[in-house]
Amino acid sequence: MNVRRLMATATVMASIATLAACGGGGSDGGSGGQVQLSLVAYSTPQAAYEKIIQAFQATPEGKNVTFTKSFGASGDQSRAVEAGLKADIVAFSLEPDMTRLVKKGLVAEDWSTGEHKGMITDSVVVIATRKGNPKNLKTWDDLIKPGVEVITPNPFTSGGARWNVMAGYGAKSNKGADKQAGVGYLNSLFAKVPVQDDSARKSLQTFSSGKGDAILAYENEAIFAQQNNQPLDYTVPDSTILIENPVAVTKNSAHPNEAKAFLKFLYTTEAQKIFADNGYRPVVKGVQGVSFPAPPALFTIADLGGWSKVTTEFFDPKGSVMADVERKLGVSIEK
């Protein structure tokens, strides 16, 4: 582990944290002082969390709570907290970034034992293209055709990229039944990637600037882009992976009661509706006015052996499927 890099990341994240303040008295025993919580999250749900925080601050539990907020690549954010970045609530793209903090003693081991197993939103990996889909890119095989460039982030920094990798691998290997076919596909796919940014949001910016013919992305990122008048279309492949995004309160939170109140609020229909409005699939049932397509061959990370197995097999920088893929391409795999 590169400790110097981790501390540098923590310093950068702390310096860019933004303060969202609200007025009123305090929640510390009625003393009149405000409580400040620190939210450290991956990049893509930033707009949703901004609105959810405002909604929480309008409740009795949240009226005296202010927030600092840091958003970035999921792996970088997790490592920054591990290195010392203050956090009361952590929200990541994928479970291994939470597991890192459990091993460090910063998140409780039972964080995933609730009704929703610690997951706050779902999504799926989609294929997004230029408006009108001029190259008719709708399937995994379409992405490796001659003359096609695909944008996806670096899987050694971005949680979104890891979901993309496992979506393509799972689809082309028949959920791991034909590993050779899946690995062969990943080599062909990443040979089509001209640039690998460190986060899903940066990859979307790269694609929006005109680079690439298609981008592998969270469904919610494609919806976000459309909501912001970016000229793209997207296709949900018949075979794709269910993305599950974890959230937890840290064990060393200075204000655990307020942090737990915010976590509880995230599972309300009000907050889940805000997530849905920003393109995320709710984990809570009964959110009105929300409908997402159901891919006929949807699979989960559990179908591929679970994150513990997948992380070692695919994303170990010392030797793994993606380490081999990236080294052949001369792409950095330093965490």
Side-chain angles (χ1 to χ4, degrees), residues 152-206:
T152 184
N154 188 317
F156 289 92
T157 59
S158 166
R162 294 192 179 195
W163 285 116
N164 294 345
V165 167
M166 300 318 300
Y169 172 82
K172 297 306 297 179
S173 69
N174 188 22
K175 295 189 292 187
D178 188 346
K179 181 177 178 178
Q180 183 176 357
V183 172
Y185 180 79
L186 291 177
N187 277 280
S188 298
L189 176 65
F190 274 78
K192 297 287 188 177
V193 180
V195 57
Q196 296 183 37
D197 295 300
D198 63 11
S199 75
R201 181 54 54 87
K202 288 183 180 179
S203 281
L204 180 60
Q205 293 169 350
T206 294

Side-chain angles (χ1 to χ4, degrees), residues 62-219:
K63 68 177 182 179
N64 299 310
V65 182
T66 64
F67 287 79
T68 61
K69 296 159 287 181
S70 174
F71 299 94
S74 186
D76 284 348
Q77 294 289 74
S78 175
R79 285 184 285 271
V81 174
E82 179 187 32
L85 177 63
K86 181 183 180 297
D88 296 286
I89 305 101
V90 287
F92 298 130
S93 169
L94 70 175
E95 186 176 327
D97 290 333
M98 194 69 74
T99 303
R100 176 184 292 112
L101 302 187
V102 173
K103 292 179 179 178
K104 188 71 174 179
L106 297 173
V107 169
E109 292 184 358
D110 64 353
W111 71 274
S112 61
T113 57
E115 177 184 358
H116 303 290
K117 307 301 182 184
M119 302 302 163
I120 193 61
T121 49
D122 289 338
S123 192
V124 296
V125 172
V126 303
I127 299 170
T129 63
R130 303 295 170 194
K131 189 69 175 179
N133 196 3
K135 291 194 174 181
N136 195 32
L137 306 175
K138 296 182 178 181
T139 69
W140 293 105
D141 288 336
D142 290 339
L143 298 181
I144 59 173
K145 288 180 177 178
V148 174
E149 284 191 338
V150 181
I151 302 299
T152 184
N154 188 317
F156 289 92
T157 59
S158 166
R162 294 192 179 195
W163 285 116
N164 294 345
V165 167
M166 300 318 300
Y169 172 82
K172 297 306 297 179
S173 69
N174 188 22
K175 295 189 292 187
D178 188 346
K179 181 177 178 178
Q180 183 176 357
V183 172
Y185 180 79
L186 291 177
N187 277 280
S188 298
L189 176 65
F190 274 78
K192 297 287 188 177
V193 180
V195 57
Q196 296 183 37
D197 295 300
D198 63 11
S199 75
R201 181 54 54 87
K202 288 183 180 179
S203 281
L204 180 60
Q205 293 169 350
T206 294
F207 184 72
S208 299
S209 71
K211 191 75 172 176
D213 303 296
I215 178 172
L216 289 174
Y218 299 129
E219 178 185 45

Side-chain angles (χ1 to χ4, degrees), residues 9-84:
T9 301
T11 301
V12 171
M13 292 304 175
S15 68
I16 65 171
T18 56
L19 177 63
C22 66
S27 58
D28 283 348
S31 64
Q34 290 185 335
V35 168
Q36 185 179 85
L37 297 179
S38 174
L39 168 66
V40 177
Y42 67 112
S43 60
T44 60
Q46 180 172 356
Y49 274 114
E50 298 284 0
K51 293 179 180 178
I52 289 171
I53 285 172
Q54 291 179 7
F56 175 67
Q57 289 171 328
T59 69
E61 296 80 9
K63 68 177 182 179
N64 299 310
V65 182
T66 64
F67 287 79
T68 61
K69 296 159 287 181
S70 174
F71 299 94
S74 186
D76 284 348
Q77 294 289 74
S78 175
R79 285 184 285 271
V81 174
E82 179 187 32

Side-chain angles (χ1 to χ4, degrees), residues 229-302:
N229 300 315
Q230 296 184 26
L232 61 75
D233 290 330
Y234 72 92
T235 299
V236 179
D238 288 346
S239 182
T240 190
I241 198 166
L242 178 69
I243 295 170
E244 300 167 291
N245 310 125
V247 66
V249 170
T250 58
K251 290 173 65 176
N252 62 349
S253 170
H255 306 288
N257 290 336
E258 289 79 6
K260 289 175 182 176
F262 181 67
L263 179 64
K264 183 178 179 180
F265 182 77
L266 294 178
Y267 289 98
T268 64
T269 55
E270 181 179 4
Q272 290 284 301
K273 181 63 164 59
I274 293 173
F275 278 126
D277 289 344
N278 282 269
Y280 288 88
R281 298 180 178 221
V283 297
V284 173
K285 296 180 180 179
V287 180
Q288 295 184 350
V290 176
S291 178
F292 289 90
L298 185 68
F299 55 92
T300 69
I301 199 68

